[in-house]
């Protein structure tokens, strides 16, 4: 396995009815008539392609544009996804999208360090913005992205697909209902053996780090939505067994701990050197919940002290884009936030983890 992003999955989707809007466009389905979020994807790599494929079965979002630094990819996408040439842009000229009324939102799916510039440019063009996670390489840049979108009066959402996953949401519902009692402990294991040593994820300038900026953020974010609180301190230790592959500033394995105001603690692992690590475990005084796998492309498997969870698998990116259409067009409030402010919190925790590694000390976190 070269990457968790190479997992295969079946395309599926769930229909959700939304209120009628005065300005509506008929979706490419007989079961839904309502507003469509018309999306251009910026960054046509493997994950951009995964999102594009998943959007073919969306009810409320439609892929209508493509933005890339590679002309041949634009030609391929025009053919594969029936995208008009007038809705295709290069990285150099995509600011002209401001004059294109057929595109509502731009989904930025590039290497991490490029997110900030593209998000701010999209906001200045007056388009709604969706950005892959981590939203940026540090909290300072992330906050500047949030501020730029606020100034431009556009929404900034982040690709937290797990925030819409039914097994995950059921555990959150049970926790909120008090079914696990007081939460005491969370464990998050996030890792895989990364392949090609020349890929951008192992380039400090493009990725902003290593495993923590790619896979570890799942345990950070998962700890927050599973425990139901934001941490107030972190400790962390780094292990590096291959300094040739994992150069300075590119973390291979990080163990980190989080402390929460209610007394719960989390013990987490982020790694690029071990497979079979995709598990969340939540423990309360009256019960437990487990997701294993917890964040892969699916199917997600869940169980609690009350038994197995049996929600059918749906393609995460399909559901994500339909839900984000509802958020942008209808003002829907998701159960777990997916906005830029949510992403800045994760970036602050990542900043604190790297500081804890550097100093060898517990670092207080203020979110």
């Amino acid at each position: 396995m070269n990457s968790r992003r190479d997992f295969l999955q079946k395309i599926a989707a769930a229909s959700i009815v939304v209120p009628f809007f005065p300005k509506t466009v008929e979706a490419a389905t007989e079961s839904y008539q309502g507003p469509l979020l018309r999306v251009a994807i910026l960054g046509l790599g493997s994950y951009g392609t995964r999102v594009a494929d998943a959007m073919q079965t969306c009810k409320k979002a439609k892929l209508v544009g493509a933005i890339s630094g590679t002309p041949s990819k634009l030609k391929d996408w025009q053919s594969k996804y029936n995208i008009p040439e007038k809705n295709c842009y290069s990285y150099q000229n995509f600011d002209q999208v401001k004059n294109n009324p057929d595109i509502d939102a731009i989904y930025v799916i590039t290497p991490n360090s490029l997110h900030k510039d593209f998000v701010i440019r999209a906001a200045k063009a007056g388009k709604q913005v969706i950005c892959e996670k981590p939203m940026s390489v540090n909290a300072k840049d992330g906050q500047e992205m949030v501020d730029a979108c606020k100034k431009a009066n556009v929404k900034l959402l982040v690709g937290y697909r797990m925030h819409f996953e039914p097994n995950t949401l059921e555990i959150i519902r049970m926790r909120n209902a008090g079914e696990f009692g007081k939460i005491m402990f969370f464990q998050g294991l996030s890792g895989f053996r990364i392949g090609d040593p020349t890929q951008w994820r192992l380039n400090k300038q493009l990725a902003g780090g290593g495993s923590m900026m790619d896979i570890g953020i799942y345990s950070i974010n998962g700890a927050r939505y599973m425990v139901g609180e934001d941490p107030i301190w972190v400790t962390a230790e780094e292990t590096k067994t291959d300094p040739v592959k994992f150069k300075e500033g590119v973390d291979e394995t990080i163990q980190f701990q989080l402390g929460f105001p209610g007394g719960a603690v989390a013990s987490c692992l982020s790694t690029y050197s071990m497979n079979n690590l995709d598990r969340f475990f939540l423990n309360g005084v009256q019960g437990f919940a487990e997701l294993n796998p917890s964040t892969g492309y699916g199917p997600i498997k869940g169980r609690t002290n009350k038994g197995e969870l049996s929600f059918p698998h749906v393609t995460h990116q399909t559901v994500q884009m339909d839900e984000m259409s509802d958020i942008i067009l209808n003002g829907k409030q998701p159960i777990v936030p997916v906005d830029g402010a949510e992403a800045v919190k994760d970036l602050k925790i990542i900043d604190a983890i790297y500081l804890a590694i550097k100093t060898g000390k517990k670092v207080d976190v203020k979110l």
Side-chain angles (χ1 to χ4, degrees):
M1 179 177 69
N2 290 335
S3 167
R4 65 184 284 121
R5 290 178 174 80
D6 292 333
F7 290 160
L8 298 177
Q9 61 181 359
K10 294 181 180 179
I11 298 295
S15 297
I16 309 172
V17 178
V18 297
F20 180 84
F21 257 51
K23 293 183 179 180
T24 63
V25 183
E26 185 172 353
T29 173
E30 296 180 359
S31 63
Y32 171 76
Q33 286 190 354
L36 275 177
L37 183 70
R38 299 166 301 174
V39 179
I41 291 179
L42 188 158
L44 311 185
S46 61
Y47 193 73
T49 300
R50 181 180 289 277
V51 173
D53 288 344
M55 287 187 68
Q56 301 312 298
T57 49
C58 280
K59 303 295 190 295
K60 307 172 191 177
K62 182 179 180 181
L63 176 64
V64 300
I67 304 163
S68 176
T70 307
S72 61
K73 288 184 178 180
L74 289 173
K75 289 295 184 182
D76 290 344
W77 276 49
Q78 287 177 38
S79 175
K80 182 177 180 180
Y81 301 112
N82 195 28
I83 296 174
E85 186 174 0
K86 68 181 181 64
N87 289 354
C88 293
Y89 299 86
S90 70
Y91 289 162
Q92 287 70 39
N93 71 6
F94 102 86
D95 304 275
Q96 296 175 17
V97 74
K98 67 182 179 182
N99 300 315
N100 191 333
D102 296 334
I103 296 174
D104 302 316
I106 294 175
Y107 193 163
V108 177
I109 309 178
T110 62
N112 304 332
S113 67
L114 306 181
H115 289 176
K116 178 184 174 181
D117 178 59
F118 285 132
V119 164
I120 292 175
R121 288 171 67 185
K124 287 182 176 179
K127 302 303 180 181
Q128 310 296 331
V129 188
I130 304 169
C131 181
E132 248 321 294
K133 60 190 178 303
M135 188 171 71
S136 190
V137 296
N138 57 58
K140 177 179 178 295
D141 284 359
Q143 188 59 53
E144 290 178 11
M145 295 160 70
V146 170
D147 294 342
C149 290
K150 183 177 181 180
K151 182 179 180 181
N153 196 31
V154 299
K155 287 185 171 64
L156 172 58
L157 305 182
V158 181
Y160 289 111
R161 58 188 169 82
M162 303 313 299
H163 292 198
F164 308 110
E165 197 281 316
N167 296 281
T168 302
L169 291 176
E170 173 62 8
I171 290 172
I172 292 172
R173 184 201 66 76
M174 293 176 69
R175 185 208 65 224
N176 287 339
E179 295 184 35
F180 305 129
K182 179 179 173 62
I183 300 302
M184 302 300 295
F185 176 73
F186 171 81
Q187 182 186 51
L189 303 177
S190 300
F192 62 93
R193 288 185 62 85
I194 198 164
D196 181 9
T198 66
Q199 65 181 281
W200 71 261
R201 292 179 183 85
L202 297 178
N203 182 319
K204 165 69 172 175
Q205 283 65 44
L206 290 174
S211 68
M212 181 59 63
M213 302 300 293
D214 179 24
I215 192 70
I217 191 172
Y218 283 97
S219 280
I220 291 172
N221 191 251
R224 294 176 53 223
Y225 63 66
M226 294 283 278
V227 173
E229 295 180 345
D230 287 332
I232 55 176
W233 59 259
V234 307
T235 60
E237 308 82 31
E238 180 180 5
T239 302
K240 187 170 292 191
T241 65
D242 188 347
V244 175
K245 187 173 186 177
F246 304 100
K247 297 177 174 60
E248 181 68 25
V250 179
D251 47 279
E252 176 185 349
T253 299
I254 293 178
Q255 299 174 75
F256 61 97
Q257 298 75 43
L258 308 173
F260 296 87
V265 293
S267 177
C268 302
L269 178 71
S270 166
T271 185
Y272 266 163
S273 62
M274 289 177 271
N275 286 332
N276 308 309
L277 292 175
D278 185 10
R279 177 179 182 264
F280 287 173
F281 181 78
L282 184 72
N283 201 28
V285 296
Q286 295 176 10
F288 72 89
E290 180 184 41
L291 291 169
N292 186 14
S294 57
T295 63
Y297 293 139
I300 301 301
K301 299 292 185 181
R303 68 185 183 101
T304 74
N305 54 291
K306 296 185 177 181
E308 301 288 328
L309 300 179
S310 57
F311 293 93
H313 172 64
V314 290
T315 301
H316 299 167
Q317 294 82 2
T318 303
V319 177
Q320 172 194 322
M321 295 309 296
D322 274 341
E323 289 289 324
M324 286 186 168
S325 175
D326 256 351
I327 293 168
I328 291 172
L329 297 180
N330 296 354
K332 181 178 180 178
Q333 294 298 312
I335 294 171
V336 185
V338 292
D339 56 30
E342 171 81 358
V344 170
K345 290 182 178 181
D346 285 342
L347 292 171
K348 286 182 176 179
I349 296 170
I350 289 176
D351 287 350
I353 288 171
Y354 283 138
L355 181 59
I357 291 170
K358 182 178 179 179
T359 63
K361 297 179 180 180
K362 178 187 290 187
V363 175
D364 292 333
V365 178
K366 296 181 180 180
L367 304 183

